[in-house]
Amino acid sequence: LEFVGRLGDDYIPLLVASKSNVAIEAFMTMIDWATPEADGTSLDLSDPRIVGALNQLELAGSIGAGRAAEILT
């Protein structure tokens, strides 16, 4: 839930977009299937798959400019 919180207002639009965009659906599924880390968090924000996916979402306009960096920090 921490990562969903980081997505903030972008979460619901991404969820809706995932119904018609396979790349966004894959990202949302990756979030859903994440295995908790030893510290209890579900996602490693330095994982290249997470970083890459957020950067692609930003480039595609699915999240606002600068949001990938905000979410990751």
Side-chain angles (χ1 to χ4, degrees), residues 14 16-30 57:
L14 286 171
V16 170
S18 74
K19 306 302 181 198
S20 60
N21 183 310
V22 175
I24 296 175
E25 179 183 16
F27 174 71
M28 299 303 281
T29 300
M30 180 174 57
L57 289 170

Side-chain angles (χ1 to χ4, degrees), residues 14-53:
L14 286 171
L15 193 57
V16 170
S18 74
K19 306 302 181 198
S20 60
N21 183 310
V22 175
I24 296 175
E25 179 183 16
F27 174 71
M28 299 303 281
T29 300
M30 180 174 57
I31 292 170
D32 189 40
W33 290 358
T35 303
E37 299 288 327
D39 66 0
T41 59
S42 294
L43 297 172
D44 176 359
L45 298 180
S46 65
D47 186 306
R49 296 168 293 184
I50 299 298
V51 174

